Amino acid sequence: MNVGLFFGTFDPIHVGHEKIAKYFLERYFDQIWFVITPLNPDKINEKLTDPYIRLDMAKEYCLNHKNFKYCDIEFKLQKPNYTADTLDELKNQFPDLKFSIIMGQDNLVGLEKWKNYKSILKGKIYVYPRNIKKISNKVLKNHKSIVYSDAPLMKISSTKIREIIKNKENYLSLIPDEIFKFILRSDLYK
């Protein structure tokens, strides 16, 4: 079984995440796993919602989507969470599954500075476009492990959605119904 790993803090999951996940599910994978990252090394100083609340939100979302799964493996790993460590652990726990990463183009820029990035490149990385000018460095631009997609370009971010909610603006069209209900019920982002 081919599994696409969609890493993120998902604070919250929004329609951009949903469209990208559906795009890759339809074209490349049997399942998409939303890997909730409790502590991203690039977001150590960012104020994020409690990781267990984000995990519960992802669980609720994935329960309503047949081939979407939540993955809490990074909760059991040393912090901050590094993609290479997570991949190693997933391969150990699920040796019969084939894992690939789904990554925004912005994350590809600078990938060579990630912990054990060469081990990450042993598998496939499926890249979706982001609104940035620089695609990647010369080393990674034509790397055999990187698959560039024509997935829809999403201009919304979780940070922007949190700001919209805090400002009491309408955000219903920016997030899936399950997430909207979870945010209301949990009184988040105010």
Side-chain angles (χ1 to χ4, degrees):
M1 180 166 58
N2 288 325
V3 176
L5 299 173
F6 197 0
F7 287 82
T9 52
F10 299 114
D11 193 16
I13 292 173
H14 55 67
V15 294
H17 295 131
E18 182 175 60
K19 286 179 182 175
I20 288 164
K22 285 181 178 179
Y23 172 92
F24 284 102
L25 180 65
E26 289 171 4
R27 287 161 182 79
Y28 302 106
F29 300 108
D30 301 307
Q31 290 183 345
I32 302 293
W33 290 12
F34 287 78
V35 183
I36 294 78
T37 302
L39 187 58
N40 181 321
D42 293 331
K43 296 184 179 182
I44 288 175
N45 295 321
E46 193 172 317
K47 185 174 173 13
L48 295 171
T49 304
D50 180 279
Y52 290 95
I53 292 173
R54 292 186 278 120
L55 176 63
D56 287 344
M57 197 171 0
K59 283 180 187 178
E60 193 162 312
Y61 173 73
C62 290
L63 284 174
N64 291 305
H65 299 273
K66 182 180 175 189
N67 293 308
F68 289 173
K69 308 289 179 202
Y70 68 91
C71 179
D72 63 357
I73 195 162
E74 290 193 340
F75 285 73
K76 301 162 190 139
L77 299 175
Q78 187 174 346
K79 310 296 180 278
N81 302 107
Y82 293 97
T83 302
D85 297 340
T86 304
L87 278 173
D88 288 343
E89 188 61 29
L90 283 169
K91 288 174 187 174
N92 287 337
Q93 287 189 26
F94 305 98
D96 296 334
L97 300 181
K98 182 181 177 195
F99 293 106
S100 301
I101 296 174
I102 299 169
M103 178 184 292
Q105 176 184 350
D106 55 330
N107 287 318
L108 191 59
V109 176
L111 180 67
E112 72 283 357
K113 295 176 186 157
W114 287 22
K115 179 182 178 183
N116 298 333
Y117 85 96
K118 289 182 180 177
S119 71
I120 296 171
L121 288 168
K122 289 179 182 173
K124 291 277 187 207
I125 299 175
Y126 290 80
V127 178
Y128 59 89
R130 287 292 192 116
N131 196 12
I132 60 172
K133 298 202 184 323
K134 184 178 178 184
I135 293 178
S136 67
N137 66 28
K138 292 177 186 175
V139 174
L140 297 176
K141 187 173 183 180
N142 297 311
H143 196 282
K144 65 180 177 154
S145 293
I146 296 175
V147 179
Y148 292 93
S149 75
D150 60 351
L153 179 63
M154 296 291 119
K155 295 183 179 180
I156 191 67
S157 72
S158 295
T159 303
K160 183 68 177 166
I161 290 170
R162 292 193 306 270
E163 184 180 309
I164 288 168
I165 295 170
K166 185 178 178 183
N167 293 333
K168 298 179 180 168
E169 298 171 33
N170 187 349
Y171 61 97
L172 181 58
S173 65
L174 303 175
I175 55 176
D177 288 341
E178 302 89 351
I179 302 300
F180 180 75
K181 290 172 186 171
F182 188 96
I183 290 170
L184 281 180
R185 188 173 64 248
S186 305
D187 200 30
L188 294 178
Y189 309 125
K190 296 187 177 179

